[in-house]
Amino acid sequence: MSATSLAHWLRSVSDDELARMLAARRDLATPPPADTNVLATRAGTAGSVARACEDLDTFTLAVLEALLVLDADAAPVTTEAVDELAGAPTRRALARLRRMALAWGDDSAVHAVPAAREVLGPYPAGLGRDLPWLRDTDVHKELEALTQPERKLLDTLAAGPPVGNTKDAGSDTPLEQARTPVQSLLARGLLVRKDSGTVELPRQLGLALRGKPIFPDTVRTEPAPETYPHATETVDSTAAGEAMELNRHMESLLESWARTPPPVLKAGGLGVREVRRIARELEIDEARAVLLAELAYGADLVAESTATEPEWLLTNLADSWLGSPPAHRWAVLATAWLDLPRLPCLAYSAAAARAGGTAEKDKQPTPLSTQLHKPRAATARRRALEALAELPDGTGIAGGEELVTLLAWRNPRRDGPLRDEMVRAALWEASALGVVALGAVTTAARTLLEPAEEPAREPTGEAGEDSAGETADERRRRATAAMAESMPAPVDHVLVQADLTIVAPGPLEPGLAAEITAVADIESAGHATVYRVTEDSVRRALDSGHSAEELHDLFARTSRTPVPQGLTYLIDDVARRHGRLRAGTCASFLRCDDEVVLAEILNSPAAGELDLRRIAPTVLVSGSPLAEVLDGLRERGFTPAAEGPDGRVLDVRAEEQRTPKRAPARRRSHGATGATGASTSERIADVVARIRSGDRAASTRRGAGVRNPGGEGDTSATLELLTRASLQRREVWIGLVDRHGTASQHIVTPTRVGGGVLEGDDNERYPLHRITSAAFVES
C-alpha cells in the first residue's frame, strides 16, 4: 500500500497489524497515544527506534542499512533495489521492519524511518555519503586509471568504515604536484576531505569497489552451531548428578552460615574473605562460591538482618528447603536462578581477576551487592537457554562460543558490551545447576522454560499470587517430577568398611542422611558418597545427645556389610571417656570423680587462661563462659561434656538465628493501559481502540461547541451541551486531558451525565472536570 507518511500508513493498516506492532514495541503504548499522529511521532524518535533495533537479527538490520544506503529515509525505493543491494530476497525482512514500523509502504515504494540513520550511524553498511557530482561519472573507468597504491587505499576504505586519518588532507594539492596516494585521490575527487586530518570515501566508489551484494554471506545467513547428539536419558542423568552436588553444596553453605553468619559489608554485599571461607570449607572454587551465595539470596534462603551490625542470616524458608526432597530443592534453586535479576558473573569474574592479580580495587563488584543488579539479566539468561531448547531433545551444542556466535547474529545490538559475557555465564551457571548437561537442555529445564499463560487479573499481593502463579507452580511441579525421575532413588542403607569409612551407594533418605552426617564427616561426594568416622565425629554425635548404644544400633540397622570391630571399639572408647569430665555454669564448672584428672587440669596452662579454681575435691569452677571452657580444654586434649542441672548431656552449640525473608517486590502491570483486570492482549486492544477513536475524533466535522481549558471556571455550558446530547442521543466530540497531562480527543454518544462523570454508550467513563472542550458532531 502506498503512503505519504508513517502516520498515513499506520492509519491504513488493520487493527490486528497495529496491535502486533504495539506488542513488538511496548514503549509506544505507554501512555496510550491520543491518535495515529502521536503514535507515528513516538515511533520515529531515535530512542524508540534504538530499542526496536535491539530485537532485529543481523540480516534484518542489514536490510534496514540497505534502505538507508538507497536513501529510503528521504524518498521511497523498490523492493527489487533492496534485494539487489542485499544479495538475497528481503521480503521477509521488510515485512518485519514494517511490522515494527521501522519501514512502511508497499513493495514499489518502501520508506525507512528517518531516525534509523541517527541510530545506525552516519555510514550505513560502512559506506560513505552520496556525492551529487559523482552520479554522472563513470567510476569504474576512474578506478581503472588508478595506481596500485591508490587502489589499495580505496579498497581498505571500501571495506568500511569509509573514513581514514591522514596528514595529507591538510591542503589542496594539484594533481600534477601530488606525491602521495591521498593527495592524488583528493585531486581527482575520488576522496573527500572532511577536515584537515580526515578523508572520506564517497558512496559511489564504495559500491563500485565492493560490488553487489554489499554484505558478506555471514550477514545473510544465520550461523549453524556445531552440535552432538546424546541420549536424552544420558543428558538427564548427568544433570541430576550436578543437581545433587548443587544441593549438597547449598546445604553446607546454609549450615555454615547458620553457625557463623557472615557480616554485611558497610557498602552492602558479602566480603572477599567470606567468599574465600566458603570456597575453603566446601572445597570449591570462588566462582561457585559466589554463585551459591547469589542463589541462596535469590531463593530467599538468606537475607540481610535488621540489626545495628547486619549479618546474612538464614530465613524461615531455609528450614523448609532443608527439609524438602532433593528434586524439590533443585526446582527452587533453578526457578530462582531463571528469574534472578542479577549478574553473579560480574562478581566471580572479579574473583578470577583477584586470583590472577589483575583486579582493580575500585572496580570489584562484590556478591550480594547492588552492583550486580541488572534488570535484563533474567531475559538474557532465558534467551540463551531457549536457543539451546530449540535443538532436538538430547542434542548438545559443541561449545559456549558456538552459542555466543549464534545469539550475536540474532540480536547484535542487544545488551551492549555485556552480551557475550552474559551468554557464557548463563551456559556455565546452567551446567552448574543441572539445567544444562553435555551442552543440552534437560527435560526438567525444558518444562521450566515453557511460557506462562497470561494472567487474567491483576496480582493481589505477593509476587506469584496471581492467576499465572498456579500455572508457574504447575510447571515447577512437573519439572520437579522430571528431575526426580532422573535422580537415583533414595537408599535406606549404607556399607560400613573396615577402614572406618561408610559408603552410601546413592542418595540417602533424609532421615538416614541426618543420622549419618551427625556421626561421620563427608570425605567425598557424588553418586556414591563416602563418609569417614573419626574420634571427633563420634564425640560430636555424643555431644549432640546420642548415646553409644544408639550409634551401635544405627550401624547394625543400616549397614549391609558387617560392622567392623574397629568401629565398635572406637565408639565404646570415645563414649567411655566422654562425659567423665562434666561442665556446667558458674559462669561454668567442671566436675569429675577422678581427682587426678582435675589435678592435671589445674597444673596445666589452661587453669590460668580459663580462670579455673577448685571448690571441692571433684569440682572446679570458672568465671569464663561454658563454651570457652569446653573449647579451651578440648584444644589441650581433654574431652569434657556439657551437663545440665539434671546431669544430662547438653548440646551447647550456638543457637541458629533466623530472619524473615525479603519483602516481596510487588508486581507491576507493564501493559499499555494499566487497567485493572486486563491481560496484555486486552490492554493492547484497548490502546488500539483509543488510537482509532482519536483518529476518528480528529477527522470529524464539529459544530459549535464550548471550551473549558483545564476543566476550570464555569462548566455549566459544557454540562448543558452534554446533557442535551444525552437526551437527544447525539454524538459529541470531547477534548480530554488525563491525569498524566496527556491530551486526547474522543467521539462519544452520552448515555448519562451526572455525579461528575460522563458515561458513553461504549461503557467508557470520562471525568467531567477533565473535559476541556465539547462540540456536537455534524453529519
Side-chain angles (χ1 to χ4, degrees), residues 170-313:
S171 60
D172 293 322
T173 304
L175 181 60
E176 59 274 9
Q177 297 179 14
R179 296 292 181 267
T180 66
V182 172
Q183 292 174 343
S184 176
L185 292 169
L186 284 171
R188 293 171 183 269
L190 302 182
L191 282 182
V192 179
R193 180 184 297 104
K194 286 180 64 69
D195 54 47
S196 61
T198 311
V199 294
E200 177 182 334
L201 178 69
R203 185 185 305 171
Q204 290 92 331
L205 272 81
L207 289 171
L209 289 165
R210 281 196 197 182
K212 296 179 181 178
I214 61 173
F215 302 110
D217 291 341
T218 53
V219 169
R220 295 193 294 271
T221 308
E222 180 178 289
E226 184 180 0
T227 59
Y228 295 108
H230 304 283
T232 304
E233 294 77 11
T234 303
V235 172
D236 290 346
S237 62
T238 303
E242 289 293 338
M244 292 168 61
E245 191 75 350
L246 173 73
N247 287 343
R248 183 178 72 83
H249 286 154
M250 182 60 74
E251 181 178 352
S252 300
L253 173 71
L254 296 179
E255 290 174 352
S256 174
W257 284 14
R259 294 190 302 269
T260 311
V264 178
L265 296 178
K266 289 183 179 179
L270 186 68
V272 173
R273 291 182 180 179
E274 291 300 328
V275 172
R276 290 172 177 167
R277 182 173 71 86
I278 296 169
R280 185 172 58 254
E281 289 184 2
L282 275 57
E283 299 181 347
I284 56 178
D285 57 31
E286 289 188 27
R288 191 173 180 92
V290 169
L291 179 60
L292 286 172
E294 287 286 336
L295 283 175
Y297 178 71
D300 282 330
L301 303 182
V302 300
E304 185 177 338
S305 70
T306 56
T308 306
E309 296 183 358
E311 299 174 315
W312 294 106
L313 298 180

Side-chain angles (χ1 to χ4, degrees), residues 379 381-391 410 441 449 451:
T379 302
R381 198 173 290 126
R382 284 183 174 269
R383 177 169 156 261
L385 294 180
E386 285 166 357
L388 291 179
E390 293 173 4
L391 301 173
R410 288 185 176 179
V441 178
L449 289 171

Side-chain angles (χ1 to χ4, degrees), residues 718-729 750 753 758 776:
T718 305
L719 286 173
E720 181 185 354
L721 185 147
L722 295 175
T723 301
R724 274 200 296 148
S726 174
L727 295 173
Q728 298 172 11
R729 303 292 294 173
V753 180
L758 164 66
F776 285 110

Side-chain angles (χ1 to χ4, degrees), residues 63-74:
V63 171
L64 182 56
E65 289 190 279
L67 287 172
L68 298 180
V69 170
L70 295 170
D71 293 324
D73 55 331

Side-chain angles (χ1 to χ4, degrees), residues 102-126:
L102 296 174
W104 76 90
D106 58 25
D107 289 346
S108 63
V110 183
H111 299 256
V113 62
R117 190 174 295 276
E118 179 182 348
V119 171
L120 299 181
Y123 305 114

Side-chain angles (χ1 to χ4, degrees), residues 94 101 175 281 330 374 509 706:
L94 287 172
L175 181 60
E281 289 184 2
W330 169 84
K374 304 291 180 184
E509 293 180 343
V706 295

Side-chain angles (χ1 to χ4, degrees), residues 71-121:
D71 293 324
D73 55 331
V77 299
T78 64
T79 301
E80 289 75 13
V82 184
D83 291 348
E84 183 182 2
L85 207 58
T90 60
R91 278 173 173 75
R92 289 184 63 182
L94 287 172
R96 186 173 184 186
L97 292 174
R98 291 188 187 102
R99 188 163 60 247
M100 300 185 72
L102 296 174
W104 76 90
D106 58 25
D107 289 346
S108 63
V110 183
H111 299 256
V113 62
R117 190 174 295 276
E118 179 182 348
V119 171
L120 299 181

